[in-house]
Amino acid sequence: MSSCSDEAIPGQPIVLGCGQLCLDYLVTVASFPIPDQKIRGTSFKVQGGGNTGNALTCVARLGLPCRILAKVADDSHGRYMVEELESSGVDTSFCMSAKDGASHFNYVIVDNQTNTRTCIYTPGYPPLLPDDLTESLLLDVLDGVRVLYVNGRSREAELLLAQKAHSKNIPILINAEKKRTGLDELIDLADYAICSTNFPQEWTGAPSSPSALLSMLIRLPKLKFVIMTLGEHGCVMLERCSSEVSGSEEETDIDELHESLKQSTDFTSVLPVCNSSVNNVFRYIISSQVLHFVNENIFNALNIFS
């Protein structure tokens, strides 16, 4: 991946994200409490969260111009999240503020013993709705955009925006965390998908994760690649190398291929390690790290730095 500066370069294509913003209350504990136990936290902080806000903060810190389309309540939580995004370099001029309502917030328990986090989500209101997106706003927010990021949290509004982006040939990247009502229409428009560990199998009903990734490419002809994150075990990616993917033999062989690549991948390396296999249909990759791999492949695929 090309090197990134701390500040966006004028004239670069824009990444647009649409979704919910959420304020996180993060408390770190030595180990997760058992029921009715009182324990002491080792650290505490408050910061903006939500998939869209996190993704765009990452994009901005990589030096790319980005903007967000979202709705927050006109309360202290909402103002704090917008100000934090602005301080990170995210364009918030398309953020809507609702006079009556409450912003989303999250209690997050970070367990130092298991390196896990447990989230307790409290939804806010009002949501971002299609009626909020006028034709002129859609044209303005998509102006200069190279890629649209969605995750289905504000599915009706995101679908309207994605349909408009699709009509303008703007690639769509979806973060598929879990099955949601109406997500199928959104994922049908996606050019790229990043999935949680369980989503591919939950969505396809395939017997294994590798066969689920292949099933996604078969069902979604517009999809160029799908990445499945695996936490501390890195991630895997299946990339389309041909216009057609078919045949039960590929679905059977991909499980053996996954095990073979997994056995030959050094997951102890402090540097990113990628192991891949290519045929005339697809390229299957196992990576020992998530963030570096995801960032590099997305930006290279979209030619963001060209």
Side-chain angles (χ1 to χ4, degrees):
M1 183 171 64
S2 303
S3 60
C4 307
S5 62
D6 292 333
E7 295 183 0
I9 301 172
Q12 276 192 306
I14 296 167
V15 177
L16 169 64
C18 180
Q20 293 180 354
L21 292 177
C22 182
L23 191 68
D24 289 342
Y25 293 88
L26 299 106
V27 59
T28 302
V29 296
S31 62
F32 197 84
I34 61 175
D36 206 31
Q37 182 185 26
K38 290 184 178 180
I39 61 173
R40 183 183 296 272
T42 59
S43 68
F44 174 78
K45 62 180 176 180
V46 180
Q47 64 182 32
N51 292 342
T52 304
N54 290 339
L56 292 180
T57 297
C58 180
V59 168
R61 290 178 179 177
L62 286 169
L64 294 174
C66 56
R67 65 174 64 127
I68 186 168
L69 175 60
K71 180 188 283 187
V72 297
D74 185 18
D75 56 13
S76 58
H77 289 177
R79 291 189 291 272
Y80 180 91
M81 289 186 286
V82 172
E83 290 170 1
E84 188 179 45
L85 286 171
E86 290 173 348
S87 69
S88 295
V90 180
D91 177 2
T92 64
S93 59
F94 291 95
C95 270
M96 305 173 192
S97 179
K99 292 184 178 180
D100 298 317
S103 297
H104 311 282
F105 66 91
N106 221 1
Y107 295 114
V108 183
I109 303 173
V110 181
D111 183 350
N112 271 341
Q113 185 178 63
T114 59
N115 293 319
T116 59
R117 91 292 184 259
T118 301
C119 301
I120 305 170
Y121 175 61
T122 301
Y125 63 92
L128 181 68
L129 298 173
D131 289 345
D132 295 318
L133 309 183
T134 63
E135 182 67 18
S136 61
L137 185 148
L138 289 171
L139 292 174
D140 288 344
V141 78
L142 289 170
D143 184 39
V145 168
R146 172 71 68 84
V147 59
L148 170 64
Y149 169 96
V150 294
N151 59 31
R153 284 281 191 175
S154 305
R155 54 186 176 274
E156 293 180 354
E158 290 177 44
L159 179 59
L160 178 60
L161 180 62
Q163 290 169 338
K164 190 67 174 180
H166 176 66
S167 72
K168 296 170 69 67
N169 296 316
I170 296 172
I172 298 167
L173 166 66
I174 187 167
N175 180 357
E177 186 177 30
K178 60 182 179 180
K179 291 182 68 174
R180 305 182 193 279
T181 303
L183 186 66
D184 287 5
E185 293 177 282
L186 196 57
I187 203 170
D188 280 344
L189 295 172
D191 297 90
Y192 308 94
I194 301 175
C195 305
S196 64
T197 303
N198 298 322
F199 178 84
Q201 280 187 266
E202 290 178 351
W203 191 74
T204 63
S208 67
S209 293
S211 62
L213 297 180
L214 183 57
S215 181
M216 288 184 70
L217 286 190
I218 294 171
R219 296 188 190 186
L220 302 166
K222 191 170 184 282
L223 205 62
K224 296 179 175 64
F225 68 63
V226 54
I227 295 174
M228 180 178 68
T229 61
L230 300 173
E232 63 181 359
H233 300 295
C235 61
V236 298
M237 179 178 88
L238 188 65
E239 180 180 24
R240 191 188 306 276
C241 297
S242 172
S243 60
E244 295 184 4
V245 179
S246 61
S248 59
E249 181 181 355
E250 296 293 353
E251 293 221 30
T252 302
D253 290 347
I254 200 170
D255 290 297
E256 297 179 6
L257 175 61
H258 173 83
E259 287 302 318
S260 175
L261 291 177
K262 183 178 176 181
Q263 293 298 322
S264 58
T265 302
D266 181 10
F267 290 96
T268 65
S269 174
V270 295
L271 297 175
V273 174
C274 293
N275 207 351
S276 66
S277 178
V278 182
N279 63 20
N280 63 339
V281 176
F282 62 83
R283 180 168 67 126
Y284 193 81
I285 302 175
I286 291 181
S287 176
S288 63
Q289 295 186 19
V290 177
L291 286 178
H292 175 89
F293 179 82
V294 170
N295 289 338
E296 178 156 354
N297 281 278
I298 290 173
F299 293 150
N300 286 346
L302 299 177
N303 295 315
I304 293 265
F305 290 106
S306 62

